[in-house]
Amino acid sequence: MTLTQEITLDIFNAPLFEYINAKQADNVSRVLVATITANGEALKPDHTSAQAIFRATKPDKTGVMDPAAIGEDGKITFALTDQVLAVPGDVAAEIAIVEGEQVLTTATFYIQVEKRHGGSGAASTDEFLVLVQATEKAAEAAEAANKAAAYVGGMTVSAEAAADEATVTAQDRDGHLHLSFGLPHGPAGPQGPAGPAGEMGPQGPSGGVESVNGRQGQVVVQDKLAGTAEQLVGFDESGNAVCKDISELLLLAHPVGSYYWSDADTDPGALFGGVWERVKDVFVLAAGDAYTAGAAGGEAAVTLTLGQMPAHNHTYHCFGGTSYAYNGGSAGNFKGYSITSPNTTYGSGAAGSGEAHENMPPYITAYCWRRTA
């Protein structure tokens, strides 16, 4: 039995609902159909060219990255798997829409998972069905490439055929399979002069999966998440196609220079591979025109200089108990007060201790790592 729930997710604003309620360990029985909006105006992703991805972080910090379906009406449908609902508590989730190099992500919404009675169900682990799906497509392309390579070595080539029969011939040219089709025709006429070469046409769009060069070629898969083409399948010395394992896919998803944030003090090298350095006690600022990438600066606490202090006034007092009287501000008086005894000292009272003050905005701390190799 499948239960369907309609929700609305905005690109800019938090959802109007507080939680989506679910039960621990339920599996693909709860289906969410999301309408995507931008400031309340409905968006309609192209189901023929865009890809939707459901991403979530469970209370134990394990992650989910599952494919979602885009309908002709632009609504996005996805099922809550037993891994999404493996841990009781609040699951933080979002929907990403990927088209070419463009990625658009909704505001975060929450799924409240109620504890299951009589056992916890499946053990909680990372679930990356998007990467599994990419690996399966790469494996299908590898199988097709192997079949093409087998045809090169196994097809019989006919050099002579009757003049009144259609012909099909195959040739192995440096490991490439070439098929030629012929139809019955009359005697050939004299060869005419060669015409001028035409201009090269524009390059066509890249396909999702392509195989090149037959036996010696390689299968290339378009990584829509990163927007770049990465080698996921190659050929061994015997000409058999081999897929990379999930650990190599995780490295491709976290290239050198990537940052990783978590509430858990776990080196991401143990999760994804690679070499990571810990970033400590600093804010991360987006590079731009004013601040270049790799620059560092700022202070946690500062002491103001005289030039940085705001303009202000001081109140003056009479010291030593000397009496004074206001006389209307005539010449020789100090700030409109008449001094009744000579050599009386006037000065302002001191205030402040000169200590540094905190220079930090409101913050929340998490562990941060940067991949270096």
Side-chain angles (χ1 to χ4, degrees):
M1 181 172 61
T2 301
L3 301 178
T4 302
Q5 181 176 354
E6 296 267 354
I7 61 174
T8 299
L9 301 175
D10 199 85
I11 298 297
F12 300 105
N13 305 303
L16 297 178
F17 59 87
E18 184 176 3
Y19 289 104
I20 295 171
N21 293 313
K23 195 77 171 184
Q24 181 186 12
D26 281 1
N27 185 36
V28 299
S29 57
R30 299 173 185 265
V31 176
L32 300 181
V33 180
T35 298
I36 309 301
T37 62
N39 283 327
E41 183 176 348
L43 300 179
K44 188 177 180 181
D46 188 346
H47 71 284
T48 64
S49 59
Q51 177 188 16
I53 300 172
F54 169 73
R55 300 188 296 218
T57 302
K58 292 177 277 185
D60 64 353
K61 306 307 177 187
T62 55
V64 173
M65 190 184 299
D66 289 350
I70 302 178
E72 294 184 3
D73 57 359
K75 294 183 179 181
I76 296 176
T77 302
F78 54 98
L80 302 181
T81 66
D82 56 352
Q83 275 304 317
V84 177
L85 306 178
V87 182
D90 294 343
V91 176
E94 62 190 12
I95 297 293
I97 304 170
V98 182
E99 187 167 8
E101 296 184 357
Q102 295 182 326
V103 180
L104 193 63
T105 306
T106 67
T108 300
F109 64 98
Y110 293 91
I111 304 169
Q112 191 173 66
V113 181
E114 182 183 353
K115 182 176 178 60
R116 168 187 176 179
H117 299 289
S120 58
S124 177
T125 62
D126 290 318
E127 180 177 74
F128 299 125
L129 295 184
V130 168
L131 299 179
V132 172
Q133 187 181 72
T135 303
E136 291 174 349
K137 290 183 178 179
E140 291 173 2
E143 183 180 358
N146 280 332
K147 289 181 179 179
Y151 281 130
V152 173
M155 180 171 287
T156 301
V157 179
S158 175
E160 298 181 0
D164 58 349
E165 295 179 356
T167 61
V168 179
T169 59
Q171 292 178 306
D172 181 359
R173 299 178 183 175
D174 298 327
H176 298 263
L177 174 63
H178 291 262
L179 298 177
S180 299
F181 299 88
L183 296 174
H185 53 76
Q191 182 175 348
E199 296 181 356
M200 182 178 293
Q203 181 177 349
S206 298
V209 179
E210 62 180 66
S211 175
V212 293
N213 292 342
R215 182 179 306 202
Q216 301 300 324
Q218 57 189 10
V219 178
V220 177
V221 173
Q222 180 72 21
D223 180 5
K224 291 187 177 180
L225 294 179
T228 59
E230 299 289 353
Q231 290 186 0
L232 299 183
V233 179
F235 288 85
D236 60 19
E237 295 178 355
S238 303
N240 298 315
V242 225
C243 295
K244 294 185 177 180
D245 60 26
I246 192 70
S247 62
E248 294 183 80
L249 298 180
L250 291 175
L251 281 177
L252 292 176
H254 299 84
V256 173
S258 298
Y259 285 82
Y260 174 76
W261 294 84
S262 175
D263 287 337
D265 186 13
T266 303
D267 189 329
L271 302 175
F272 316 120
V275 179
W276 299 73
E277 66 176 5
R278 175 87 174 275
V279 180
K280 297 181 179 181
D281 301 323
V282 294
F283 287 96
V284 177
L285 175 65
D289 298 332
Y291 300 95
T292 58
E299 296 289 343
V302 297
T303 302
L304 295 177
T305 65
L306 181 62
Q308 295 169 332
M309 295 176 62
H312 60 286
N313 296 317
H314 289 273
T315 301
Y316 287 85
H317 303 275
C318 175
F319 294 94
T322 305
S323 61
Y324 53 88
Y326 182 72
N327 68 353
S330 60
N333 297 322
F334 181 78
K335 291 291 184 182
Y337 291 88
S338 174
I339 302 171
T340 57
S341 68
N343 299 321
T344 301
T345 301
Y346 291 85
S348 64
S353 61
E355 296 180 359
H357 68 86
E358 186 173 328
N359 196 34
M360 307 264 281
Y363 59 84
I364 183 171
T365 58
Y367 295 103
C368 178
W369 304 77
R370 178 177 177 273
R371 186 179 169 193
T372 59

